[in-house]
Amino acid sequence: MNRLVVVSNRVPDPTAAAQAGGLAVALESLMQRRGGLWFGWNGKIAEPASSVGVTQANGIEFATLDLTPEEHERYYNGFSNAALWPVLHTLPDLLHTDRRNAEIYFATNARMADALVPLLRPNDLVWVHDYHLMPLPALLRARGVHAPIGFFLHVPFPAPDVFSILPDARRLLRDLLAADLIGFQTPNDRDNFAATAAKLLGAARMGEGSLVYGGNRVRLGVFPVEIEPRAFAALALENDAAPATERLRRSLAGQRLLLGADRLDPTKGLMQRLAAYRGLLALRPELRGAMTMLQIAAASRQDVATYRDLRAQLERQAGAINGEFGEADWSPLRVITRAVPRGVMAGYMRLARVGLVTPLRDGMNLVAKEFVAAQDPQDPGVLVLSRYAGAARQLNGALLVNPHDPEEMAQAISMALDMSQDERQDRWQTMWRAIEGTSALAWGRGFVAALINAHRARLEENVANDPVALLAAVAEPITAPASRH
Ligand code: F6P
């Protein structure tokens, strides 16, 4: 079996109880089962940056490096999270452009490529993840890497006119097209990407699944990220009577729980969600004292101004709601701005009558799938889900809402609270059937299999077009070590 080399900006900390973000959750099973090398940032900032550190845990080799303060500020905070992130989520008003940030973004990718290449072995498969590393496929090719290179975008891809407002939009696309296979969460993301590559670069689409650019064919695929539904269901059941769940249950004293669980991020629609809850409290006074909303909003990217502002707004608004509707013995809203361990979260989800997953836009949103898996089939909670989350394609038993419209969301929450047990069971069954046969492991394996096929097909095509390439392809191992020195 070829060794799998996963490359992602964020590399999970194998010792941490709570991992923020879907990427780590999605890749965990595959890496634990298959082993391999996981390469990326170690989460530390240092000047000068130390050389690559290698550690081993659960059969996985982790090779990680520090970011310098400038890289952290400009590559991670600046370009990745204040330019690419909002644009890819179709929130162009939040775009912050800065030429120097873009330069450092490309330079940091080049430094990562330089550090990765010496670690590669013949016959490795390289799988690059997410928007932080869009230039990496081209940078690896330029360093003599002939290995199969796949890229998976965990976040959405916007329409061509939106993507084109990014500085260096064409360069980002060109660099990405050096991969053999580019994977997306939904057909909509794949089609937006193909339309953008056609419009900005003149790439030609060949059927649904590929693009031809610069004489090279790149495969495009749709691979919706999954969770391990049965394992998560078991975790929720196990935590049903855990001390943390019991404490929450006792504190509710029979009230119904509305639960939101997100990273504190402008894409998650948190302010609109609070507005919806406020609307519901005003619309249905009889619910006061009979329900509590718990919003877990794990603070993230607090060096980015938009994120800090959002946290301040959220805290202000939560205070205002509690001030306006609270009683001496009842607060309508509880907010926690820290990450909660997975098991505890699973227990809370099982306890909730309503799950609120209302991002303005989201690649997939694994919390929605986890909420479904966590439910008691006899007495399940209701999922209120944004129609702009990738998960909405699979979870049509949810109450699908427009996350920009607090009134519509308030109606949906109200309906969820009134829903009969029969209807809750029917809706839950529909959603469970959609996810029970899936797994994060199968998702990972599916992508890797498609990558091997894409690479093989590309070699054959090159061979057909170019006899010299044929000789090179068969004479060399798949990964040629870099000849940089
Ligand atoms: O899932 C999208 C994503 O941006 C991942 O790439 C990332 O690891 C996760 O969210 C959490 O964000 P961050 O790594 O910036 O804390």
Side-chain angles (χ1 to χ4, degrees):
M1 196 165 60
N2 307 55
R3 183 177 71 152
L4 180 62
V5 177
V6 162
V7 190
S8 61
N9 173 68
R10 178 75 65 185
V11 174
D13 173 356
T15 59
Q19 310 281 359
L23 189 150
V25 172
L27 282 163
E28 214 173 28
S29 331
L30 180 70
M31 289 307 272
Q32 275 173 6
R33 214 36 107 74
R34 189 182 165 120
L37 175 68
W38 199 326
F39 177 88
W41 176 37
N42 58 17
K44 296 188 190 130
I45 306 165
E47 182 88 284
S50 65
S51 55
V52 177
V54 181
T55 55
Q56 196 98 27
N58 309 325
I60 308 166
E61 203 179 351
F62 293 92
T64 54
L65 38 75
D66 312 322
L67 292 181
T68 66
E70 185 177 42
E71 287 170 342
H72 183 251
E73 188 44 36
R74 295 185 178 278
Y75 146 82
Y76 175 70
N77 289 329
F79 197 74
S80 297
N81 289 329
L84 280 170
W85 178 267
V87 169
L88 291 169
H89 285 86
T90 313
L91 296 172
D93 288 357
L94 300 183
L95 165 68
H96 173 78
T97 60
D98 181 317
R99 290 265 133 224
R100 182 90 184 125
N101 287 354
E103 269 170 39
I104 298 295
Y105 172 83
F106 285 99
T108 307
N109 268 266
R111 189 166 80 79
M112 292 212 187
D114 286 337
L116 173 60
V117 165
L119 304 176
L120 294 179
R121 297 186 202 142
N123 303 325
D124 277 349
L125 301 169
V126 181
W127 187 4
V128 181
H129 290 261
D130 238 356
Y131 56 98
H132 314 85
L133 301 173
M134 289 169 85
L136 209 63
L139 290 164
L140 292 175
R141 294 283 183 235
R143 284 158 178 74
V145 176
H146 298 299
I149 300 179
F151 182 95
F152 185 77
L153 187 67
H154 289 254
V155 300
F157 199 93
D161 285 349
V162 176
F163 189 79
S164 67
I165 69 172
L166 272 171
D168 292 303
R170 297 181 71 241
R171 182 172 170 193
L172 288 164
L173 290 173
R174 234 179 25 228
D175 285 357
L176 197 50
L177 288 171
D180 295 285
L181 171 67
I182 306 176
F184 300 90
Q185 300 271 23
T186 68
N188 190 46
D189 301 317
R190 176 201 58 200
D191 295 345
N192 279 344
F193 177 80
T196 306
K199 191 163 177 181
L200 270 61
L201 297 178
R205 188 150 187 197
M206 309 283 287
E208 267 193 349
S210 65
L211 278 177
V212 173
Y213 175 66
N216 207 16
R217 190 195 283 236
V218 184
R219 263 70 188 178
L220 306 180
V222 174
F223 305 86
V225 175
E226 305 294 352
I227 59 166
E228 298 298 340
R230 287 179 196 283
F232 199 84
L235 186 69
L237 186 58
E238 203 180 297
N239 278 277
D240 194 35
T245 317
E246 277 303 330
R247 278 205 305 280
L248 176 57
R249 186 179 281 118
R250 260 201 313 278
S251 75
L252 291 169
Q255 295 175 74
R256 281 165 294 174
L257 175 67
L258 279 60
L259 178 68
D262 309 76
R263 273 190 311 104
L264 212 170
D265 191 289
T267 61
K268 301 295 182 187
L270 295 168
M271 297 312 293
Q272 291 83 346
R273 192 182 303 167
L274 289 197
Y277 186 54
R278 197 193 165 284
L280 179 68
L281 288 163
L283 189 75
R284 294 190 55 185
E286 80 280 10
L287 289 174
R288 298 179 203 165
M291 64 178 178
T292 289
M293 175 171 169
L294 169 60
Q295 176 63 54
I296 293 161
S300 87
R301 305 177 190 165
Q302 287 295 297
D303 297 321
V304 182
T306 331
Y307 287 74
R308 279 197 307 275
D309 296 349
L310 175 64
R311 182 177 186 165
Q313 270 179 49
L314 182 87
E315 286 169 352
R316 216 172 24 246
Q317 187 60 13
I321 291 175
N322 280 334
E324 185 177 352
F325 296 100
E327 299 291 343
D329 58 351
W330 176 72
S331 295
L333 177 62
R334 304 176 191 178
V335 174
I336 297 175
T337 52
R338 299 178 308 277
V340 166
R342 249 169 111 60
V344 173
M345 185 67 90
Y348 291 176
M349 285 177 170
R350 194 175 170 91
L351 188 58
R353 171 55 66 86
V354 184
L356 299 169
V357 182
T358 57
L360 303 178
R361 204 165 278 268
D362 215 329
M364 175 53 60
N365 200 301
L366 296 182
V367 171
K369 292 182 175 178
E370 288 172 347
F371 182 81
V372 173
Q375 297 310 304
D376 172 357
Q378 296 312 312
D379 187 21
V382 181
L383 178 62
V384 175
L385 177 61
S386 162
R387 38 176 111 98
Y388 304 116
R393 282 186 66 241
Q394 289 162 283
L395 301 180
N396 47 25
L399 294 176
L400 295 179
V401 294
N402 176 357
H404 297 271
D405 184 346
E407 284 179 49
E408 188 189 314
M409 286 191 283
Q411 293 291 350
I413 302 169
S414 167
M415 204 168 136
L417 289 166
D418 292 344
M419 197 177 279
S420 69
Q421 187 164 358
D422 278 355
E423 185 175 349
R424 283 190 280 120
Q425 284 177 353
D426 286 352
R427 286 178 175 274
W428 180 81
Q429 281 293 344
T430 309
M431 294 191 282
W432 178 246
R433 274 198 299 273
I435 63 166
E436 69 173 326
T438 66
S439 75
L441 182 63
W443 166 79
R445 285 181 168 158
F447 186 94
V448 168
L451 172 58
I452 293 169
N453 287 337
H455 185 70
R456 197 170 291 145
R458 194 165 65 94
L459 285 185
E460 281 163 13
E461 281 153 15
N462 284 352
V463 163
N465 298 338
D466 176 359
V468 182
L470 163 64
L471 287 176
V474 292
E476 283 179 35
I478 290 184
T479 304
S483 50
R484 286 172 308 122
H485 305 297

